Amino acid sequence: MQEKYIDETKQGEAFAIAEKDGNSKKLFLESYGCQMNFSDSEIVASILNEQGYNTTLKVEEADLILLNTCSIREKAEQTVRMRLAQFKNLKKERPSMTVGVLGCMAERLKTKFLEEEQLVDLVVGPDAYRDLPNLLKETEDGRDAINVILSKEETYADINPVRLGGNGVTAFVTITRGCDNMCTFCVVPFTRGRERSRDPHSILDECKNLWESGYKEITLLGQNVDSYLWYGGGPKKDFAKASEMQKATAVSFVQLLDLVAKAIPEMRIRFSTSNPQDMSLDVFRMIAKHDNICNYVHLPVQSGSNKMLEAMNRQHTREEYLELIRKAKEIVPDISFSQDMIIGFCNETEEDHQDTLSLMREVEFDYGYMFSYSERPGTPAHKKMEDNIPADVKQRRLAEVIALQGELSRKRMEGYVGRVHEVLIEGISRKNKNQWKGRNSQNAVCVFDMQEGQKMGDIVNVFVFNNTQGTLLGETVKN
């Protein structure tokens, strides 16, 4: 079921893969935060698998504990700190155990973790995972180890990530790393560095390998996929300095979508996350061109108020966003959208809040991820703006936004009732072991009774006869 907001107190997720013969050490790897972090964890597991580590779900038997962390909100960091405190106690019982922090918190809080709080032995930033074998040797020699250097080149294009957990049906394929958008509330440019794109040939190879391994759906992943631009390597900001040949042979996101859709015509394709300022109508035309590109876009707006958008340094206005949505629906009439929304940003007035509610009503998002503003140290907003909206006002406004999205989600789900949908079977329903769950092209979750001969990974025609706020209820259409 699609969440209407994210539970920030939720524990991280640990995954394990099949053991590799000959590996004698145990790795416990827990991921927090965005899809990029979970994708990065697969890269880390792949690197360490070659260094003698098998994954485990039992933290007490681990030789190496790694937390892949998120810095996007304060609660996410608090959750990780509490988790590290648990590991510190465990380490007293097993002094040989190594504990490390990966990802965005590693870059942001490196000194605190290693020197002030002495919670960990190892701190590794998002661009330094290749250095893990060397860093682990340093910890074995009794030294703390750190590498949080941000790269302008690293994309891990040559590493074939193992697939942690998952359903064997859907997978993430990272196409960009970093972000050049300096939204005032966001810490990502400082923890993940400059935006750079991955070689399209390596992306195609990974997608083809996934298809050959039985996967039926991929999500092309990046902080900002729409600005994907490959011209031979290097940051996107340096494209202006590229040679004429590099510019002439450069590959844009629209071109990449076309390449992947043509190369694997039966593979379902999604992408995330998009940015309104970089999203072109050509992307929607490409969705309309290829049946295997899903009719769904996650398009964060953050606020419905132009004053707030300017304060956030979002490079789009309310009017531009609504016009983009309007034109997209003309090109792909059956398209669905989801949103990110920040409530209670600095100086937000009641009028700004009402602007957000009215934008939501106009767009009619299928679902969304909504949060009250959480000040992040080091961001422009933290340095230059006062977090001056009282907590009770933030919570009241957030509750109103969540309640409205609930109404809109139910209305959108009702719009799918009485129709036949192609649904990819991704697993068994949590509430009924005799039912499948899957998603239609618009990313709406559907549950339906199992039929003889059906299996995971099948795409089946399902007639939807009813709905809840976040789920479609259906039955298989007999051939």
Side-chain angles (χ1 to χ4, degrees):
M1 178 174 176
Q2 294 129 338
E3 295 176 334
K4 302 301 171 286
Y5 61 96
I6 293 174
D7 181 0
E8 295 178 271
T9 62
K10 183 182 177 184
Q11 193 65 270
E13 292 189 51
F15 300 108
I17 57 172
E19 294 192 357
K20 180 180 178 181
D21 291 342
N23 283 2
S24 58
K25 293 175 282 189
K26 297 284 189 180
L27 163 67
F28 180 84
L29 178 57
E30 199 165 74
S31 294
Y32 294 77
C34 68
Q35 293 169 333
M36 284 293 294
N37 272 13
F38 288 86
S39 181
D40 279 1
S41 289
E42 294 179 337
I43 290 169
V44 169
S46 183
I47 290 169
L48 293 178
N49 200 231
E50 297 301 313
Q51 299 296 316
Y53 286 89
N54 282 327
T55 50
T56 179
L57 295 175
K58 298 177 180 178
V59 66
E60 63 276 3
E61 69 179 24
D63 301 290
L64 172 62
I65 296 173
L66 295 177
L67 295 192
N68 198 351
T69 61
C70 174
S71 264
I72 200 73
R73 276 168 287 276
E74 184 179 4
K75 280 188 179 179
E77 289 193 355
Q78 290 173 347
T79 302
V80 170
R81 284 178 177 279
M82 289 189 289
R83 190 67 165 141
L84 286 172
Q86 295 173 12
F87 294 149
K88 189 174 182 180
N89 293 331
L90 185 62
K91 193 171 168 60
K92 289 176 183 176
E93 301 170 16
R94 295 188 59 198
S96 62
M97 177 186 288
T98 300
V99 178
V101 168
L102 312 175
C104 294
M105 279 181 73
E107 203 288 327
R108 202 178 83 72
L109 296 171
K110 47 191 176 288
T111 305
K112 279 186 174 293
F113 281 148
L114 281 173
E115 297 172 15
E116 296 177 28
E117 301 175 15
Q118 297 182 333
L119 285 172
V120 300
D121 314 294
L122 181 72
V123 175
V124 188
D127 291 345
Y129 298 142
R130 288 184 196 273
D131 200 27
L132 270 166
N134 297 324
L135 295 170
L136 286 169
K137 286 190 177 70
E138 290 189 32
T139 64
E140 288 168 8
D141 293 337
R143 298 189 299 271
D144 290 336
I146 180 170
N147 185 343
V148 292
I149 297 170
L150 292 175
S151 168
K152 294 181 179 181
E153 303 288 341
E154 181 62 84
T155 62
Y156 302 106
D158 61 319
I159 294 177
N160 187 25
V162 300
R163 301 295 161 179
L164 293 170
N167 53 20
V169 176
T170 63
F172 297 120
V173 176
T174 300
I175 66 169
T176 70
R177 298 186 71 83
C179 184
D180 287 347
N181 297 326
M182 298 297 290
C183 299
T184 56
F185 56 81
C186 187
V187 75
V188 167
F190 309 104
T191 59
R192 284 190 171 268
R194 282 290 189 177
E195 184 179 312
R196 62 272 188 201
S197 298
R198 179 178 164 190
D199 179 347
H201 299 293
S202 70
I203 295 170
L204 282 170
D205 286 345
E206 184 174 339
C207 294
K208 289 174 183 175
N209 287 337
L210 285 167
W211 177 256
E212 290 166 3
S213 299
Y215 285 83
K216 299 301 173 65
E217 179 182 290
I218 52 170
T219 299
L220 304 179
L221 196 62
Q223 247 76 40
N224 187 10
V225 290
D226 307 284
S227 63
Y228 174 92
L229 183 64
W230 171 260
Y231 61 97
K236 184 182 178 183
K237 71 179 183 65
D238 291 341
F239 181 63
K241 303 173 188 174
S243 69
E244 292 305 311
M245 178 60 75
Q246 285 177 313
K247 290 179 180 178
T249 57
V251 178
S252 68
F253 179 59
V254 170
Q255 291 168 317
L256 179 69
L257 265 181
D258 197 32
L259 287 169
V260 176
K262 286 177 178 175
I264 324 159
E266 294 181 77
M267 177 78 90
R268 264 193 179 189
I269 300 165
R270 301 185 188 274
F271 52 88
S272 186
T273 294
S274 297
N275 192 302
Q277 75 187 60
D278 296 303
M279 172 64 84
S280 76
L281 294 179
D282 284 341
V283 172
F284 297 107
R285 294 186 185 105
M286 196 57 65
I287 293 172
K289 176 183 175 181
H290 292 288
D291 290 339
N292 59 330
I293 303 178
C294 292
N295 296 348
Y296 161 72
V297 175
H298 181 60
L299 195 63
V301 60
Q302 307 302 0
S303 175
S305 159
N306 279 333
K307 189 184 83 179
M308 288 295 95
L309 292 172
E310 184 177 1
M312 292 174 175
N313 197 34
R314 300 288 286 174
Q315 302 300 305
H316 64 88
T317 64
R318 171 194 177 95
E319 292 74 22
E320 288 167 343
Y321 186 90
L322 290 172
E323 181 67 2
L324 182 63
I325 295 284
R326 185 186 68 78
K327 289 181 177 177
K329 289 180 178 180
E330 289 179 358
I331 298 167
V332 189
D334 210 19
I335 197 165
S336 68
F337 289 96
S338 58
Q339 47 85 350
D340 285 351
M341 206 72 78
I342 295 175
I343 312 304
F345 190 65
C346 311
N347 300 312
E348 183 187 74
T349 64
E350 195 62 31
E351 183 180 359
D352 297 323
H353 172 56
Q354 292 302 321
D355 283 347
T356 292
L357 295 174
S358 70
L359 180 138
M360 291 173 64
R361 291 188 188 99
E362 190 163 342
V363 176
E364 293 190 337
F365 295 102
D366 273 44
Y367 61 99
Y369 302 98
M370 297 147 282
F371 308 93
S372 58
Y373 173 59
S374 170
E375 192 174 57
R376 308 310 299 129
T379 60
H382 174 252
K383 292 176 181 177
K384 299 177 182 178
M385 303 179 195
E386 183 184 356
D387 182 9
N388 56 1
I389 308 303
D392 61 334
V393 175
K394 285 183 184 179
Q395 288 307 308
R396 189 260 302 168
R397 290 176 183 171
L398 177 61
E400 290 177 5
V401 168
I402 291 172
L404 174 57
Q405 184 57 62
E407 294 174 21
L408 297 174
S409 295
R410 187 175 292 276
K411 181 180 178 181
R412 286 290 297 167
M413 294 302 109
E414 287 171 355
Y416 298 127
V417 174
R419 296 160 52 189
V420 174
H421 300 261
E422 287 190 344
V423 176
L424 173 63
I425 298 176
E426 298 177 26
I428 299 170
S429 168
R430 283 184 298 175
K431 294 183 178 180
N432 186 338
K433 62 179 175 46
N434 295 314
Q435 288 188 324
W436 293 118
K437 69 172 180 179
R439 287 173 297 156
N440 66 1
S441 180
Q442 290 80 11
N443 209 42
V445 172
C446 182
V447 296
F448 53 98
D449 289 344
M450 296 177 176
Q451 299 293 331
E452 188 177 347
Q454 292 177 342
K455 62 184 184 303
M456 292 265 289
D458 285 349
I459 293 180
V460 296
N461 288 322
V462 176
F463 176 76
V464 172
F465 59 82
N466 206 347
N467 70 286
T468 66
Q469 177 176 305
T471 307
L472 304 177
L473 311 177
E475 59 188 11
T476 306
V477 176
K478 297 283 199 311
N479 292 326

